[in-house]
Structure formats: C-alpha cells, structure tokens
Amino acid sequence: MAGIVLVGAQWGDEGKGKITDLLADDMDLVVRFQGGNNAGHTIIHGGRTLKLHLIPSGILYPHITPVIGNGVVIDPKVLLQEMDELEADGITTRRLLISCNAHLIMPYHRDLDGASERRLGGNEIGTTRRGIGPAYMDKASRLGIRVQDLTDVHILRKKLEAALVEKNDVLEKIYGLPTYTVDEIVDEYMEYAKRLQPHIADTSHLINRALRSDQWVFFEGAQGTLLDLDHGTYPFVTSSSPTAGGACTGAGVGPKAIDRVLGIAKAYITRVGSGPFPTELPSDPGSIGEHLTQKGGEFGTTTGRQRRCGWYDGVIIRYAVQVNGLTDLVITKLDVLSELDTIKVCVAYEYEGKRYNELPCHQTVFHHAKPIYEELPGWKCNIDHCRTFEELPKEARDYIAFLEDLAEVPVSIIAVGPDRDETIMRRWERRA
Ligand code: GDP
Ligand code: IMO
Ligand code: MG
C-alpha cells in the first residue's frame, strides 16, 4: 500500500503542480481532495505550459487515473472548459473520475463571493471570487447541490427550489443583485450533466480498492497550511482543509492509508490576498521584494494578482510540520535566490519583548509579530543545471541544511527551475 500526500506548507503557490506532475509518473491514481478552481497549478515540461485549476496535475501521464474527490467543490462550467482545453492540446481526459459526493459551485455562489467581498470593503479577504466560500457554506448548512444530483433532473430541481428560496432573497434584498429561476439553472446544469455523466463515480470506493491492491495513490493538495480553515490565519483563509487530514475526509480514506506526507515550501514565501504576513518585504522598485516578484514570476495563476513576497519563515514551516505530520520537505524555487548577496531566514518572532519559537495561537500576537532573522551567505551563481545535491554550491547546500535543522524534517526534493526536469531528487526512491 502506498498513499502519499502533498500539501502546501505556506500560503499556497509553492509549486504543488510541478511536483505532483514530477512524482505522478510512479503513481496509479492522482487525487485532488479539497478546494476548487481557486487553485492554479502550473506544469512545465518539454516546452509546454499547462495551467490547471480543477484537474489533478497527473493528467499528462496516460497511465494515471485522475480523480476529483468528494472534498472538492466543482464549477462544472470551468471543469468542462479545462477538459476541452486539454483535449485540444492532445491530452486525454477520458480517464478522469469525479466523486458523486463532491459539491457543485452554482452561479449564485460566484455572485455571493463577489458581493460579500465588496461589502467587506477594506476588510475584504481577497478571495479569488470563484464562489468557493459560498459553496462550502451551503455544504455545511446542508443546502448544497452535489455531483450526483446531476444524474436525476427531478432531484436537481427540488434541491434548487429549496436553495433558491434563500439565495434569491439574499441576492435581491441584501445585495440588490439579479435573481435566478429554477428553470434557467436546471437547463444550464443538465447540459453539463450530459458531458460529465461518464466521469461520475464512487471515488472513495475506487481509491480504497486501489490501495488494497498495492497501487500507489498520490493526494494532491491545493492552497496551503496557512490557508486552512481550522489551522490557517483565520479569517484570511480559504473555506476547506488543505492540511493532510483533509486528504482523508476529502478523498474518503482512513488515516492509515497515508504512508508519507510531503510538505512543499518555496525557498522564500508568498501570499495572495489579504492577511498577516510577518516576513513580508516591500516591493518598491530595486528592492529585494521586487526582485523575488520578478525573478520568481510571482503573479497568481488564477487571478493574475501580484503575490506578496517575503523571506522564508521557519516558524510557519515548523507549524506545518506539526499540523500535517510532515515526513519530508520539498523546497522549490531555490534558483530564485541565486543572485542575492545574503539571504534571511526567520527563526522566531518577537512581540512585546517576548520570543516566540512556535506560531503564536493568538491572532493579535501573530498580526504584530516581528521576525527574528538569521542571515546566511548567498551563492551568487546559476544553479538551474544542478541535478544532484552535491552539484549545488556550498552556500546553497548550507542553506538547505539550515532549513532542515530548523524544521527537523529532511529536505527530500529540491526544485531549481520550473521545468519538470529542473529538480534534485535527494531522498526519493523511484518505484521498482
Ligand atoms: P501551486 O499552486 O503550488 O501548484 O504553484 P503555482 O503553479 O501556482 O506557482 C508556482 C510557480 O512557480 C509556477 O509558475 C511554477 O512553474 C513555478 N515553479 C515551480 N517550481 C519552481 C522552481 O523551482 N523554480 C522556478 N523558477 N519556478 C518554479
Ligand atoms: P493554489 O492551490 C494562493 C487565497 C486567496 C484568498 C484566500 C481565500 O494555487 O496554491 P478563496 O477564493 O479560496 O475563498 O480565497 O485564499 N487562495 C490562494 N492563494 N494559492 C491558492 O491556491 C489559493 N487559493 C485561495 O487569495 O486570500
Ligand atoms: Mg497556485
């Protein structure tokens, strides 16, 4: 049995798409377990760039079964668009499976996401406005519409009637927005149903069967630990569980199905949207923050927004090790630091004269935490060509060793460029 989970250890965009695509070669199933098309995962291989939002990043391999688990919220319009784009590019989506229990994003979810953000004004979360939060709200309040409802028009109609009584009221009376009729949504969604029908399955059963027959299953996280609804920087979080436990509930497997938990982090850190960020750097022209933004191409895959950049935060990573039970770290974008004279790493925080080695539980402390840095020498040379740890310059090896000591978890994979091949496999045995 081999169940491997990959989770973002920071605020998302750590390079989950690249690493999933790389490791998927050895897998039988690649499963998305939470989030929706708020995610943007970029894969680059052989001169080809793919930007995926809902489809698992193992899609490039014809031997993989890509699975969208029950914990994902699916906008069927976006999913079908993504499938069409892949097919047009010669990539088959025939094997894609979608959980019958996954929830659907409805048009009113998108409207409500935008409307509530506008209402929050300066206090906005900075969501992707894709309807993610409102869809998970309906799931929790038991007003949600699931993929399996697409297979029975009568049930779909009944559930929509119940939901629209409330949704239309909120849209019209609270936000002054146009309302929906049951018929228009049923017509639209039954068109999607025709195309999605062959992909709908009891995915929990299939994943468990695969694990029992010693197949390898890769659980691909979206977002990151600090965006987790329970463990992240609430309320500046997403509405799902991107941490490792989410793989169990979002795919329908027990915790014993998980053998290895990979936490992925950039060699620095970024965040999109609002919320506290202790190691954030200013991004004025000529600054280090601007250098990281430009060299790292730090613009959102989903919304195109500029990502906020900062120094690597070791306190956050130690926290991610704890709440995910990480067995390994994957460090990406080491190449982005190559031109810097020195590199800072946050090892603890300070607030009102007190030192915090662990992530403070209280939001006020975290919001005002001042990073305590250690400064390490840069390597000042190109490392994109390095394919073994030994080929890296001494300063880069020392940097990785420093991160390893801080996290108390081995750094098993290091990425030195966006392409699938630009990777150092340090502690990763290929499947026999
Ligand atoms: P994800 O959401 O975690 O899948 O990450 P994104 O795809 O949103 O953002 C990561 C970006 O960094 C993508 O544009 C990747 O192509 C790129 N990337 C991944 N690893 C590396 C790396 O080691 N070096 C560089 N320069 N870029 C990388
Ligand atoms: P990947 O999978 C980075 C952020 C949004 C916002 C907050 C809530 O590519 O790493 P939401 O639309 O989810 O309700 O927005 O979460 N966010 C992400 N930031 N990467 C992502 O996904 C994100 N998905 C959501 O910017 O701050
Ligand atoms: Mg992303």
Side-chain angles (χ1 to χ4, degrees), residues 7-8 33-34 221-225 227-229 238 240-244 246 324:
V7 291
F33 55 87
Q34 44 69 233
Q223 289 81 50
T225 300
L227 288 173
D228 187 281
L229 184 58
T238 192
S240 67
S241 302
T243 44
N324 294 294

Side-chain angles (χ1 to χ4, degrees), residues 2 43 68 70-71 141 184 186 193 276 304 349 362 372 401-402:
I43 299 175
I68 299 181
N70 56 276
S141 66
E184 65 183 321
V186 167
Y349 304 136
H362 204 287
I372 299 173
F402 189 83

Side-chain angles (χ1 to χ4, degrees), residues 337-343 375-381 393-396 399:
L337 303 181
S338 289
E339 287 160 45
L340 302 180
D341 295 327
T342 58
I343 303 161
E375 197 155 358
L376 284 82
W379 42 94
K380 305 277 287 172
C381 64
K394 180 176 181 312
E395 294 81 359
Y399 184 69

Side-chain angles (χ1 to χ4, degrees), residues 191-209:
E191 283 302 309
Y192 304 144
K194 278 187 212 151
R195 292 196 52 201
L196 291 177
Q197 187 91 41
H199 299 277
I200 301 174
D202 178 352
T203 52
S204 164
H205 178 68
L206 290 168
I207 296 166
N208 279 286
R209 202 173 59 191

Side-chain angles (χ1 to χ4, degrees), residues 351-406:
Y351 174 69
E352 291 189 338
K354 189 172 162 206
R355 182 183 169 111
Y356 291 82
N357 292 320
E358 309 302 332
L359 201 86
C361 180
H362 204 287
Q363 58 191 348
T364 308
V365 183
F366 189 68
H367 279 245
H368 296 103
K370 294 267 170 299
I372 299 173
Y373 288 118
E374 293 226 6
E375 197 155 358
L376 284 82
W379 42 94
K380 305 277 287 172
C381 64
N382 196 325
I383 57 167
D384 306 10
H385 58 280
C386 296
R387 295 293 175 270
T388 64
F389 190 64
E390 292 65 36
E391 282 173 70
L392 286 173
K394 180 176 181 312
E395 294 81 359
R397 280 183 277 138
D398 288 348
Y399 184 69
I400 294 291
F402 189 83
L403 305 191
E404 222 161 27
D405 285 347
L406 206 53

Side-chain angles (χ1 to χ4, degrees), residues 95-357:
R95 294 167 69 94
L96 177 71
L97 297 178
I98 305 165
S99 168
C100 53
N101 289 337
H103 280 245
L104 293 170
I105 294 183
M106 309 303 287
Y108 45 83
H109 291 141
R110 290 191 296 265
D111 297 346
L112 291 169
D113 198 352
S116 79
E117 282 286 272
R118 278 193 296 277
R119 196 159 73 141
L120 285 168
N123 295 324
E124 63 168 15
I125 311 286
T127 75
T128 58
R129 302 193 177 203
R130 298 298 191 265
I132 307 297
Y136 280 114
M137 279 165 70
D138 277 359
K139 175 177 176 174
S141 66
R142 290 151 296 178
L143 260 187
I145 298 187
R146 294 186 296 173
V147 167
Q148 60 178 279
D149 299 329
L150 293 177
T151 63
D152 186 327
V153 69
H154 302 292
I155 293 182
L156 178 66
R157 185 171 283 280
K158 271 181 84 171
K159 292 200 173 178
L160 256 174
E161 277 164 5
L164 280 182
V165 171
E166 184 190 304
K167 299 298 155 191
N168 278 341
D169 252 10
V170 176
L171 285 169
E172 191 175 21
K173 295 187 183 144
I174 298 186
Y175 295 114
L177 290 172
T179 55
Y180 289 92
T181 64
V182 173
D183 282 342
E184 65 183 321
I185 299 186
V186 167
D187 289 351
E188 181 186 344
Y189 276 62
M190 286 318 289
E191 283 302 309
Y192 304 144
K194 278 187 212 151
R195 292 196 52 201
L196 291 177
Q197 187 91 41
H199 299 277
I200 301 174
D202 178 352
T203 52
S204 164
H205 178 68
L206 290 168
I207 296 166
N208 279 286
R209 202 173 59 191
L211 287 163
R212 277 198 304 276
S213 55
D214 283 331
Q215 294 194 16
W216 283 31
V217 180
F218 194 85
F219 300 90
E220 175 191 10
Q223 289 81 50
T225 300
L226 274 278
L227 288 173
D228 187 281
L229 184 58
D230 285 82
H231 303 292
T233 46
Y234 192 89
F236 302 101
V237 293
T238 192
S239 301
S240 67
S241 302
T243 44
C248 293
T249 46
V253 299
K256 283 165 80 178
I258 313 297
D259 300 289
R260 206 163 170 178
V261 186
L262 313 179
I264 181 165
K266 285 177 190 172
Y268 49 101
I269 189 167
T270 62
R271 158 160 225 176
V272 202
S274 324
F277 184 172
T279 64
E280 183 169 14
L281 286 162
S283 60
D284 329 73
S287 66
I288 293 178
E290 195 220 8
H291 177 74
L292 297 179
T293 309
Q294 295 306 331
K295 182 138 197 241
E298 297 299 356
F299 297 90
T301 311
T302 300
T303 57
R305 287 178 291 175
Q306 185 172 326
R307 297 174 181 150
R308 300 154 66 192
C309 293
W311 295 117
Y312 184 93
D313 187 330
V315 182
I316 282 176
I317 300 300
R318 269 202 304 272
Y319 179 70
V321 169
Q322 177 180 298
V323 296
N324 294 294
L326 298 185
T327 57
D328 307 70
L329 268 181
V330 178
I331 297 292
T332 60
K333 299 195 131 177
L334 190 64
D335 54 299
V336 176
L337 303 181
S338 289
E339 287 160 45
L340 302 180
D341 295 327
T342 58
I343 303 161
K344 287 185 185 172
V345 174
C346 169
V347 295
Y349 304 136
E350 190 269 331
Y351 174 69
E352 291 189 338
K354 189 172 162 206
R355 182 183 169 111
Y356 291 82
N357 292 320

